[in-house]
mmCIF file of all heavy atoms in Angstrom:
data_model
loop_
_atom_site.group_PDB
_atom_site.id
_atom_site.type_symbol
_atom_site.label_atom_id
_atom_site.label_comp_id
_atom_site.label_asym_id
_atom_site.label_seq_id
_atom_site.Cartn_x
_atom_site.Cartn_y
_atom_site.Cartn_z
ATOM 1 N N ALA Q 289 100.611 76.669 101.499
ATOM 2 C CA ALA Q 289 99.196 76.333 101.298
ATOM 3 C C ALA Q 289 98.295 77.357 101.975
ATOM 4 O O ALA Q 289 97.280 77.787 101.409
ATOM 5 C CB ALA Q 289 98.909 74.938 101.838
ATOM 6 N N ILE Q 290 98.674 77.756 103.170
ATOM 7 C CA ILE Q 290 97.879 78.737 103.917
ATOM 8 C C ILE Q 290 97.947 80.108 103.257
ATOM 9 O O ILE Q 290 96.923 80.760 103.027
ATOM 10 C CB ILE Q 290 98.356 78.822 105.384
ATOM 11 C CG1 ILE Q 290 98.090 77.494 106.105
ATOM 12 C CG2 ILE Q 290 97.648 79.967 106.115
ATOM 13 C CD1 ILE Q 290 98.715 77.405 107.483
ATOM 14 N N GLN Q 291 99.152 80.549 102.931
ATOM 15 C CA GLN Q 291 99.309 81.874 102.343
ATOM 16 C C GLN Q 291 98.750 81.931 100.927
ATOM 17 O O GLN Q 291 98.183 82.953 100.519
ATOM 18 C CB GLN Q 291 100.786 82.276 102.367
ATOM 19 C CG GLN Q 291 101.292 82.558 103.773
ATOM 20 C CD GLN Q 291 102.737 83.008 103.803
ATOM 21 O OE1 GLN Q 291 103.631 82.292 103.343
ATOM 22 N NE2 GLN Q 291 102.979 84.190 104.327
ATOM 23 N N GLY Q 292 98.902 80.856 100.181
ATOM 24 C CA GLY Q 292 98.307 80.806 98.854
ATOM 25 C C GLY Q 292 96.791 80.820 98.937
ATOM 26 O O GLY Q 292 96.111 81.483 98.154
ATOM 27 N N GLY Q 293 96.267 80.093 99.923
ATOM 28 C CA GLY Q 293 94.824 80.057 100.120
ATOM 29 C C GLY Q 293 94.253 81.425 100.440
ATOM 30 O O GLY Q 293 93.225 81.824 99.887
ATOM 31 N N VAL Q 294 94.923 82.152 101.304
ATOM 32 C CA VAL Q 294 94.379 83.446 101.724
ATOM 33 C C VAL Q 294 94.358 84.444 100.560
ATOM 34 O O VAL Q 294 93.429 85.255 100.441
ATOM 35 C CB VAL Q 294 95.137 84.023 102.941
ATOM 36 C CG1 VAL Q 294 96.488 84.611 102.564
ATOM 37 C CG2 VAL Q 294 94.297 85.085 103.647
ATOM 38 N N LEU Q 295 95.348 84.380 99.699
ATOM 39 C CA LEU Q 295 95.349 85.272 98.531
ATOM 40 C C LEU Q 295 94.177 84.967 97.600
ATOM 41 O O LEU Q 295 93.593 85.872 97.002
ATOM 42 C CB LEU Q 295 96.669 85.146 97.768
ATOM 43 C CG LEU Q 295 97.923 85.653 98.491
ATOM 44 C CD1 LEU Q 295 99.155 85.440 97.617
ATOM 45 C CD2 LEU Q 295 97.800 87.112 98.877
ATOM 46 N N ASN Q 296 93.836 83.684 97.507
ATOM 47 C CA ASN Q 296 92.707 83.293 96.669
ATOM 48 C C ASN Q 296 91.367 83.605 97.318
ATOM 49 O O ASN Q 296 90.347 83.683 96.629
ATOM 50 C CB ASN Q 296 92.817 81.809 96.307
ATOM 51 C CG ASN Q 296 93.796 81.576 95.182
ATOM 52 O OD1 ASN Q 296 93.452 81.682 94.013
ATOM 53 N ND2 ASN Q 296 95.038 81.294 95.534
ATOM 54 N N VAL Q 297 91.371 83.782 98.620
ATOM 55 C CA VAL Q 297 90.174 84.303 99.306
ATOM 56 C C VAL Q 297 90.041 85.789 99.001
ATOM 57 O O VAL Q 297 88.984 86.262 98.565
ATOM 58 C CB VAL Q 297 90.261 84.080 100.832
ATOM 59 C CG1 VAL Q 297 89.156 84.871 101.553
ATOM 60 C CG2 VAL Q 297 90.137 82.591 101.160
ATOM 61 N N TYR Q 298 91.126 86.509 99.186
ATOM 62 C CA TYR Q 298 91.094 87.970 99.028
ATOM 63 C C TYR Q 298 90.726 88.415 97.616
ATOM 64 O O TYR Q 298 90.028 89.420 97.439
ATOM 65 C CB TYR Q 298 92.449 88.568 99.402
ATOM 66 C CG TYR Q 298 92.813 88.505 100.861
ATOM 67 C CD1 TYR Q 298 94.136 88.617 101.274
ATOM 68 C CD2 TYR Q 298 91.834 88.339 101.840
ATOM 69 C CE1 TYR Q 298 94.487 88.567 102.616
ATOM 70 C CE2 TYR Q 298 92.180 88.273 103.182
ATOM 71 C CZ TYR Q 298 93.505 88.394 103.565
ATOM 72 O OH TYR Q 298 93.850 88.337 104.897
ATOM 73 N N ILE Q 299 91.196 87.688 96.611
ATOM 74 C CA ILE Q 299 90.921 88.119 95.238
ATOM 75 C C ILE Q 299 89.428 88.031 94.919
ATOM 76 O O ILE Q 299 88.918 88.749 94.054
ATOM 77 C CB ILE Q 299 91.746 87.308 94.217
ATOM 78 C CG1 ILE Q 299 91.793 88.049 92.882
ATOM 79 C CG2 ILE Q 299 91.210 85.887 94.056
ATOM 80 C CD1 ILE Q 299 92.782 87.497 91.888
ATOM 81 N N ASN Q 300 88.714 87.174 95.661
ATOM 82 C CA ASN Q 300 87.268 87.048 95.474
ATOM 83 C C ASN Q 300 86.484 88.006 96.367
ATOM 84 O O ASN Q 300 85.530 88.638 95.909
ATOM 85 C CB ASN Q 300 86.831 85.612 95.739
ATOM 86 C CG ASN Q 300 87.334 84.648 94.665
ATOM 87 O OD1 ASN Q 300 87.072 84.837 93.487
ATOM 88 N ND2 ASN Q 300 88.063 83.632 95.072
ATOM 89 N N THR Q 301 86.892 88.140 97.613
ATOM 90 C CA THR Q 301 86.164 89.042 98.514
ATOM 91 C C THR Q 301 86.326 90.504 98.081
ATOM 92 O O THR Q 301 85.451 91.327 98.333
ATOM 93 C CB THR Q 301 86.642 88.885 99.967
ATOM 94 O OG1 THR Q 301 88.060 89.096 100.050
ATOM 95 C CG2 THR Q 301 86.309 87.495 100.510
ATOM 96 N N LYS Q 302 87.437 90.788 97.425
ATOM 97 C CA LYS Q 302 87.698 92.157 96.969
ATOM 98 C C LYS Q 302 86.611 92.664 96.023
ATOM 99 O O LYS Q 302 86.292 93.860 95.997
ATOM 100 C CB LYS Q 302 89.061 92.201 96.274
ATOM 101 C CG LYS Q 302 89.494 93.570 95.773
ATOM 102 C CD LYS Q 302 90.845 93.477 95.092
ATOM 103 C CE LYS Q 302 91.290 94.827 94.531
ATOM 104 N NZ LYS Q 302 91.520 95.833 95.586
ATOM 105 N N LEU Q 303 86.029 91.754 95.259
ATOM 106 C CA LEU Q 303 85.043 92.136 94.245
ATOM 107 C C LEU Q 303 83.599 92.028 94.728
ATOM 108 O O LEU Q 303 82.677 92.371 93.988
ATOM 109 C CB LEU Q 303 85.227 91.263 92.998
ATOM 110 C CG LEU Q 303 86.585 91.377 92.302
ATOM 111 C CD1 LEU Q 303 86.684 90.370 91.169
ATOM 112 C CD2 LEU Q 303 86.810 92.790 91.787
ATOM 113 N N MET Q 304 83.410 91.567 95.944
ATOM 114 C CA MET Q 304 82.050 91.389 96.454
ATOM 115 C C MET Q 304 81.376 92.726 96.748
ATOM 116 O O MET Q 304 82.006 93.657 97.259
ATOM 117 C CB MET Q 304 82.067 90.549 97.740
ATOM 118 C CG MET Q 304 82.374 89.088 97.521
ATOM 119 S SD MET Q 304 82.376 88.195 99.098
ATOM 120 C CE MET Q 304 82.766 86.538 98.531
ATOM 121 N N GLN Q 305 80.092 92.796 96.452
ATOM 122 C CA GLN Q 305 79.307 93.979 96.776
ATOM 123 C C GLN Q 305 78.886 93.970 98.242
ATOM 124 O O GLN Q 305 78.770 95.021 98.871
ATOM 125 C CB GLN Q 305 78.058 94.041 95.878
ATOM 126 C CG GLN Q 305 78.375 94.181 94.391
ATOM 127 C CD GLN Q 305 79.194 95.427 94.085
ATOM 128 O OE1 GLN Q 305 78.831 96.529 94.515
ATOM 129 N NE2 GLN Q 305 80.298 95.261 93.365
ATOM 130 N N ASP Q 306 78.654 92.780 98.764
ATOM 131 C CA ASP Q 306 78.278 92.637 100.168
ATOM 132 C C ASP Q 306 79.542 92.727 101.008
ATOM 133 O O ASP Q 306 80.201 91.736 101.307
ATOM 134 C CB ASP Q 306 77.577 91.289 100.388
ATOM 135 C CG ASP Q 306 77.027 91.127 101.806
ATOM 136 O OD1 ASP Q 306 77.418 91.913 102.689
ATOM 137 O OD2 ASP Q 306 76.210 90.208 102.011
ATOM 138 N N ARG Q 307 79.892 93.930 101.403
ATOM 139 C CA ARG Q 307 81.146 94.150 102.117
ATOM 140 C C ARG Q 307 81.130 93.565 103.530
ATOM 141 O O ARG Q 307 82.176 93.215 104.065
ATOM 142 C CB ARG Q 307 81.455 95.660 102.184
ATOM 143 C CG ARG Q 307 81.655 96.335 100.836
ATOM 144 C CD ARG Q 307 82.519 95.501 99.893
ATOM 145 N NE ARG Q 307 83.850 95.241 100.455
ATOM 146 C CZ ARG Q 307 84.662 94.296 100.004
ATOM 147 N NH1 ARG Q 307 84.293 93.497 99.012
ATOM 148 N NH2 ARG Q 307 85.848 94.127 100.539
ATOM 149 N N GLU Q 308 79.962 93.437 104.109
ATOM 150 C CA GLU Q 308 79.859 92.845 105.443
ATOM 151 C C GLU Q 308 80.252 91.365 105.380
ATOM 152 O O GLU Q 308 81.000 90.870 106.229
ATOM 153 C CB GLU Q 308 78.427 92.986 105.971
ATOM 154 C CG GLU Q 308 78.295 92.740 107.467
ATOM 155 C CD GLU Q 308 79.064 93.747 108.319
ATOM 156 O OE1 GLU Q 308 79.148 94.927 107.936
ATOM 157 O OE2 GLU Q 308 79.597 93.338 109.368
ATOM 158 N N TYR Q 309 79.732 90.690 104.368
ATOM 159 C CA TYR Q 309 80.073 89.266 104.191
ATOM 160 C C TYR Q 309 81.554 89.124 103.843
ATOM 161 O O TYR Q 309 82.243 88.236 104.366
ATOM 162 C CB TYR Q 309 79.215 88.651 103.088
ATOM 163 C CG TYR Q 309 79.472 87.183 102.877
ATOM 164 C CD1 TYR Q 309 78.870 86.234 103.691
ATOM 165 C CD2 TYR Q 309 80.335 86.740 101.862
ATOM 166 C CE1 TYR Q 309 79.114 84.873 103.510
ATOM 167 C CE2 TYR Q 309 80.584 85.390 101.672
ATOM 168 C CZ TYR Q 309 79.971 84.466 102.496
ATOM 169 O OH TYR Q 309 80.213 83.122 102.322
ATOM 170 N N ALA Q 310 82.041 89.984 102.983
ATOM 171 C CA ALA Q 310 83.455 89.944 102.590
ATOM 172 C C ALA Q 310 84.355 90.135 103.807
ATOM 173 O O ALA Q 310 85.369 89.433 103.961
ATOM 174 C CB ALA Q 310 83.736 91.021 101.552
ATOM 175 N N LYS Q 311 83.970 91.055 104.662
ATOM 176 C CA LYS Q 311 84.751 91.318 105.870
ATOM 177 C C LYS Q 311 84.767 90.103 106.786
ATOM 178 O O LYS Q 311 85.801 89.760 107.382
ATOM 179 C CB LYS Q 311 84.174 92.529 106.611
ATOM 180 C CG LYS Q 311 84.977 92.941 107.839
ATOM 181 C CD LYS Q 311 84.363 94.173 108.499
ATOM 182 C CE LYS Q 311 85.156 94.561 109.748
ATOM 183 N NZ LYS Q 311 84.561 95.751 110.411
ATOM 184 N N LYS Q 312 83.637 89.438 106.898
ATOM 185 C CA LYS Q 312 83.534 88.242 107.734
ATOM 186 C C LYS Q 312 84.478 87.148 107.246
ATOM 187 O O LYS Q 312 85.208 86.531 108.036
ATOM 188 C CB LYS Q 312 82.094 87.724 107.720
ATOM 189 C CG LYS Q 312 81.887 86.422 108.473
ATOM 190 C CD LYS Q 312 80.473 85.901 108.269
ATOM 191 C CE LYS Q 312 80.308 84.512 108.874
ATOM 192 N NZ LYS Q 312 78.976 83.925 108.596
ATOM 193 N N ILE Q 313 84.474 86.906 105.931
ATOM 194 C CA ILE Q 313 85.350 85.883 105.356
ATOM 195 C C ILE Q 313 86.816 86.278 105.501
ATOM 196 O O ILE Q 313 87.678 85.455 105.848
ATOM 197 C CB ILE Q 313 85.012 85.654 103.865
ATOM 198 C CG1 ILE Q 313 83.581 85.133 103.716
ATOM 199 C CG2 ILE Q 313 85.995 84.669 103.239
ATOM 200 C CD1 ILE Q 313 83.307 83.815 104.392
ATOM 201 N N ASN Q 314 87.115 87.544 105.237
ATOM 202 C CA ASN Q 314 88.490 88.028 105.379
ATOM 203 C C ASN Q 314 88.991 87.865 106.811
ATOM 204 O O ASN Q 314 90.134 87.457 107.033
ATOM 205 C CB ASN Q 314 88.580 89.493 104.969
ATOM 206 C CG ASN Q 314 88.563 89.689 103.474
ATOM 207 O OD1 ASN Q 314 88.690 88.730 102.713
ATOM 208 N ND2 ASN Q 314 88.385 90.924 103.036
ATOM 209 N N ASN Q 315 88.141 88.184 107.770
ATOM 210 C CA ASN Q 315 88.527 88.066 109.178
ATOM 211 C C ASN Q 315 88.831 86.618 109.550
ATOM 212 O O ASN Q 315 89.793 86.331 110.272
ATOM 213 C CB ASN Q 315 87.430 88.606 110.086
ATOM 214 C CG ASN Q 315 87.363 90.119 110.088
ATOM 215 O OD1 ASN Q 315 88.312 90.791 109.681
ATOM 216 N ND2 ASN Q 315 86.245 90.676 110.530
ATOM 217 N N GLU Q 316 88.014 85.711 109.047
ATOM 218 C CA GLU Q 316 88.229 84.289 109.322
ATOM 219 C C GLU Q 316 89.564 83.833 108.738
ATOM 220 O O GLU Q 316 90.341 83.126 109.392
ATOM 221 C CB GLU Q 316 87.080 83.469 108.726
ATOM 222 C CG GLU Q 316 87.118 82.003 109.100
ATOM 223 C CD GLU Q 316 85.902 81.234 108.629
ATOM 224 O OE1 GLU Q 316 85.010 81.828 107.987
ATOM 225 O OE2 GLU Q 316 85.852 80.007 108.889
ATOM 226 N N ALA Q 317 89.835 84.246 107.511
ATOM 227 C CA ALA Q 317 91.097 83.883 106.858
ATOM 228 C C ALA Q 317 92.295 84.513 107.563
ATOM 229 O O ALA Q 317 93.339 83.873 107.749
ATOM 230 C CB ALA Q 317 91.063 84.320 105.399
ATOM 231 N N GLU Q 318 92.134 85.758 107.986
ATOM 232 C CA GLU Q 318 93.218 86.467 108.671
ATOM 233 C C GLU Q 318 93.566 85.816 110.001
ATOM 234 O O GLU Q 318 94.741 85.750 110.385
ATOM 235 C CB GLU Q 318 92.835 87.927 108.884
ATOM 236 C CG GLU Q 318 92.883 88.763 107.610
ATOM 237 C CD GLU Q 318 92.175 90.098 107.753
ATOM 238 O OE1 GLU Q 318 91.811 90.468 108.893
ATOM 239 O OE2 GLU Q 318 91.957 90.769 106.728
ATOM 240 N N GLN Q 319 92.556 85.335 110.708
ATOM 241 C CA GLN Q 319 92.794 84.670 111.984
ATOM 242 C C GLN Q 319 93.591 83.382 111.794
ATOM 243 O O GLN Q 319 94.457 83.046 112.604
ATOM 244 C CB GLN Q 319 91.462 84.378 112.686
ATOM 245 C CG GLN Q 319 90.811 85.589 113.314
ATOM 246 C CD GLN Q 319 91.715 86.296 114.315
ATOM 247 O OE1 GLN Q 319 92.283 85.674 115.222
ATOM 248 N NE2 GLN Q 319 91.875 87.591 114.155
ATOM 249 N N ILE Q 320 93.291 82.656 110.737
ATOM 250 C CA ILE Q 320 94.044 81.438 110.430
ATOM 251 C C ILE Q 320 95.503 81.785 110.172
ATOM 252 O O ILE Q 320 96.414 81.151 110.709
ATOM 253 C CB ILE Q 320 93.433 80.721 109.217
ATOM 254 C CG1 ILE Q 320 92.057 80.146 109.565
ATOM 255 C CG2 ILE Q 320 94.362 79.598 108.724
ATOM 256 C CD1 ILE Q 320 91.289 79.589 108.389
ATOM 257 N N CYS Q 321 95.729 82.808 109.363
ATOM 258 C CA CYS Q 321 97.102 83.240 109.065
ATOM 259 C C CYS Q 321 97.838 83.667 110.324
ATOM 260 O O CYS Q 321 99.003 83.309 110.530
ATOM 261 C CB CYS Q 321 97.083 84.389 108.059
ATOM 262 S SG CYS Q 321 96.596 83.917 106.396
ATOM 263 N N LYS Q 322 97.143 84.420 111.132
ATOM 264 C CA LYS Q 322 97.752 84.969 112.346
ATOM 265 C C LYS Q 322 98.256 83.875 113.275
ATOM 266 O O LYS Q 322 99.324 83.990 113.877
ATOM 267 C CB LYS Q 322 96.732 85.850 113.079
ATOM 268 C CG LYS Q 322 97.298 86.577 114.286
ATOM 269 C CD LYS Q 322 96.241 87.499 114.895
ATOM 270 C CE LYS Q 322 96.799 88.241 116.098
ATOM 271 N NZ LYS Q 322 95.774 89.139 116.718
ATOM 272 N N GLU Q 323 97.493 82.797 113.381
ATOM 273 C CA GLU Q 323 97.883 81.719 114.293
ATOM 274 C C GLU Q 323 98.845 80.726 113.665
ATOM 275 O O GLU Q 323 99.842 80.337 114.282
ATOM 276 C CB GLU Q 323 96.651 80.966 114.784
ATOM 277 C CG GLU Q 323 97.011 79.790 115.690
ATOM 278 C CD GLU Q 323 95.817 79.047 116.251
ATOM 279 O OE1 GLU Q 323 94.670 79.489 116.013
ATOM 280 O OE2 GLU Q 323 96.022 78.022 116.922
ATOM 281 N N PHE Q 324 98.592 80.313 112.432
ATOM 282 C CA PHE Q 324 99.279 79.139 111.910
ATOM 283 C C PHE Q 324 100.517 79.421 111.065
ATOM 284 O O PHE Q 324 101.411 78.581 110.988
ATOM 285 C CB PHE Q 324 98.292 78.261 111.138
ATOM 286 C CG PHE Q 324 97.286 77.598 112.036
ATOM 287 C CD1 PHE Q 324 96.042 78.174 112.247
ATOM 288 C CD2 PHE Q 324 97.604 76.423 112.701
ATOM 289 C CE1 PHE Q 324 95.119 77.575 113.099
ATOM 290 C CE2 PHE Q 324 96.695 75.814 113.550
ATOM 291 C CZ PHE Q 324 95.441 76.391 113.743
ATOM 292 N N ILE Q 325 100.600 80.588 110.442
ATOM 293 C CA ILE Q 325 101.806 80.892 109.677
ATOM 294 C C ILE Q 325 103.017 80.970 110.611
ATOM 295 O O ILE Q 325 104.080 80.422 110.323
ATOM 296 C CB ILE Q 325 101.644 82.199 108.875
ATOM 297 C CG1 ILE Q 325 100.679 81.976 107.715
ATOM 298 C CG2 ILE Q 325 102.994 82.675 108.338
ATOM 299 C CD1 ILE Q 325 100.348 83.228 106.928
ATOM 300 N N GLY Q 326 102.832 81.622 111.741
ATOM 301 C CA GLY Q 326 103.908 81.725 112.719
ATOM 302 C C GLY Q 326 104.347 80.369 113.248
ATOM 303 O O GLY Q 326 105.543 80.131 113.480
ATOM 304 N N ARG Q 327 103.410 79.461 113.407
ATOM 305 C CA ARG Q 327 103.744 78.121 113.890
ATOM 306 C C ARG Q 327 104.535 77.340 112.845
ATOM 307 O O ARG Q 327 105.464 76.602 113.190
ATOM 308 C CB ARG Q 327 102.468 77.381 114.308
ATOM 309 C CG ARG Q 327 101.874 77.927 115.593
ATOM 310 C CD ARG Q 327 100.490 77.384 115.882
ATOM 311 N NE ARG Q 327 100.484 75.957 116.196
ATOM 312 C CZ ARG Q 327 99.391 75.280 116.548
ATOM 313 N NH1 ARG Q 327 98.214 75.920 116.627
ATOM 314 N NH2 ARG Q 327 99.453 73.982 116.827
ATOM 315 N N CYS Q 328 104.187 77.517 111.583
ATOM 316 C CA CYS Q 328 104.963 76.887 110.501
ATOM 317 C C CYS Q 328 106.382 77.438 110.477
ATOM 318 O O CYS Q 328 107.363 76.683 110.332
ATOM 319 C CB CYS Q 328 104.295 77.126 109.149
ATOM 320 S SG CYS Q 328 102.774 76.202 108.868
ATOM 321 N N GLU Q 329 106.496 78.739 110.610
ATOM 322 C CA GLU Q 329 107.809 79.381 110.608
ATOM 323 C C GLU Q 329 108.658 78.900 111.789
ATOM 324 O O GLU Q 329 109.870 78.700 111.651
ATOM 325 C CB GLU Q 329 107.648 80.897 110.663
ATOM 326 C CG GLU Q 329 107.087 81.492 109.375
ATOM 327 C CD GLU Q 329 106.818 82.982 109.482
ATOM 328 O OE1 GLU Q 329 106.730 83.488 110.629
ATOM 329 O OE2 GLU Q 329 106.695 83.638 108.432
ATOM 330 N N LYS Q 330 108.010 78.704 112.919
ATOM 331 C CA LYS Q 330 108.722 78.241 114.120
ATOM 332 C C LYS Q 330 109.269 76.835 113.903
ATOM 333 O O LYS Q 330 110.401 76.535 114.302
ATOM 334 C CB LYS Q 330 107.788 78.275 115.327
ATOM 335 C CG LYS Q 330 108.479 77.980 116.650
ATOM 336 C CD LYS Q 330 107.518 78.165 117.820
ATOM 337 C CE LYS Q 330 108.231 77.857 119.138
ATOM 338 N NZ LYS Q 330 107.301 78.030 120.302
ATOM 339 N N VAL Q 331 108.470 75.971 113.281
ATOM 340 C CA VAL Q 331 108.930 74.608 112.988
ATOM 341 C C VAL Q 331 110.125 74.664 112.043
ATOM 342 O O VAL Q 331 111.143 73.997 112.261
ATOM 343 C CB VAL Q 331 107.797 73.755 112.366
ATOM 344 C CG1 VAL Q 331 108.350 72.446 111.804
ATOM 345 C CG2 VAL Q 331 106.720 73.459 113.396
ATOM 346 N N TYR Q 332 110.010 75.468 110.992
ATOM 347 C CA TYR Q 332 111.108 75.587 110.031
ATOM 348 C C TYR Q 332 112.384 76.073 110.723
ATOM 349 O O TYR Q 332 113.471 75.531 110.492
ATOM 350 C CB TYR Q 332 110.732 76.550 108.906
ATOM 351 C CG TYR Q 332 111.873 76.784 107.941
ATOM 352 C CD1 TYR Q 332 112.122 75.882 106.904
ATOM 353 C CD2 TYR Q 332 112.728 77.878 108.093
ATOM 354 C CE1 TYR Q 332 113.185 76.072 106.035
ATOM 355 C CE2 TYR Q 332 113.800 78.070 107.233
ATOM 356 C CZ TYR Q 332 114.008 77.166 106.203
ATOM 357 O OH TYR Q 332 115.078 77.349 105.349
ATOM 358 N N LYS Q 333 112.249 77.083 111.556
ATOM 359 C CA LYS Q 333 113.421 77.651 112.231
ATOM 360 C C LYS Q 333 114.052 76.646 113.177
ATOM 361 O O LYS Q 333 115.285 76.557 113.275
ATOM 362 C CB LYS Q 333 113.000 78.914 113.009
ATOM 363 C CG LYS Q 333 114.173 79.783 113.436
ATOM 364 C CD LYS Q 333 114.893 80.353 112.224
ATOM 365 C CE LYS Q 333 116.125 81.155 112.623
ATOM 366 N NZ LYS Q 333 116.882 81.620 111.446
ATOM 367 N N LEU Q 334 113.218 75.871 113.868
ATOM 368 C CA LEU Q 334 113.729 74.838 114.763
ATOM 369 C C LEU Q 334 114.528 73.800 113.988
ATOM 370 O O LEU Q 334 115.625 73.393 114.412
ATOM 371 C CB LEU Q 334 112.564 74.177 115.503
ATOM 372 C CG LEU Q 334 112.881 73.227 116.663
ATOM 373 C CD1 LEU Q 334 111.706 73.195 117.634
ATOM 374 C CD2 LEU Q 334 113.184 71.816 116.171
ATOM 375 N N VAL Q 335 113.986 73.371 112.871
ATOM 376 C CA VAL Q 335 114.676 72.399 112.023
ATOM 377 C C VAL Q 335 115.982 72.984 111.486
ATOM 378 O O VAL Q 335 117.033 72.341 111.537
ATOM 379 C CB VAL Q 335 113.774 71.953 110.840
ATOM 380 C CG1 VAL Q 335 114.579 71.117 109.835
ATOM 381 C CG2 VAL Q 335 112.584 71.159 111.358
ATOM 382 N N GLU Q 336 115.917 74.204 110.992
ATOM 383 C CA GLU Q 336 117.108 74.853 110.452
ATOM 384 C C GLU Q 336 118.202 74.961 111.497
ATOM 385 O O GLU Q 336 119.388 74.655 111.227
ATOM 386 C CB GLU Q 336 116.740 76.244 109.938
ATOM 387 C CG GLU Q 336 117.905 76.996 109.317
ATOM 388 C CD GLU Q 336 117.532 78.413 108.956
ATOM 389 O OE1 GLU Q 336 116.985 79.139 109.810
ATOM 390 O OE2 GLU Q 336 117.793 78.817 107.804
#
């Protein structure tokens, strides 16, 4: 859900003319990925 969401953010920000706004949204999405994808992977590995 997180990784799918971020790709759907990027496909829209990529086409924006306002690159400052696009960068802001991308940064917010990237921070979510940075923190939470690893935590999901850790849970999976623990279970495995």
